[in-house]
Amino acid sequence: MQAAVTMPFVVPCAPELPRATWTSYGLTTLLVLPLAARRRAALTVLVAVLAAGGLYKFAADGPGRPLPYTGLMPFHTVAELSSPPERIAGALVTAVAVPVSTGLDSIDLREPLSSLFVFAAAGSP
């Protein structure tokens, strides 16, 4: 999973983007590690992954956003295995985190809306 998340760091990217740093790789590892517990504590893992993604966004000077697989996996697990109140909590947390994360990169609404669509599809049983 780590390789998939950090793929944008190693493929050729635009010269104006900063290079990946050890901090970038370390913070993306925080996105991946909680996934080991996603079946036992799906909502907690979702919140941890979203928090680590926010930390990456605001603390790392990396070459862009990592791929969103680490958020999609626990979101789907919450939808599949959790109680209705936990599903609602997971949907609300994600409905706030995803647009804030993607919306800060651009004023274009297409990216936040398409990201919400992808997460909604991942949450469908």
Side-chain angles (χ1 to χ4, degrees), residues 49-119:
V49 166
L50 292 174
L55 184 61
Y56 175 87
K57 176 154 187 71
F58 296 111
D61 188 21
R65 239 184 359 253
L67 295 175
Y69 303 136
T70 56
L72 293 170
M73 289 174 66
F75 186 76
H76 175 75
T77 306
V78 167
E80 183 182 10
L81 301 178
S82 297
S83 66
E86 288 176 325
R87 289 180 195 154
I88 291 168
L92 290 174
V93 168
T94 304
V96 171
V98 170
V100 166
S101 176
T102 57
L104 292 174
D105 291 335
S106 149
I107 58 170
D108 187 7
L109 286 178
R110 285 183 293 180
E111 188 172 356
L113 291 176
S114 65
S115 296
L116 283 175
F117 176 77
V118 168
F119 272 85

Side-chain angles (χ1 to χ4, degrees), residues 18-45:
R19 295 269 182 224
T21 62
W22 286 109
T23 304
S24 302
Y25 286 108
L27 289 172
T28 58
T29 301
L30 290 178
L31 293 168
V32 174
L33 287 177
L35 296 177
R38 72 182 167 86
R39 294 205 173 272
R40 291 186 304 272
L43 184 59
T44 303
V45 169

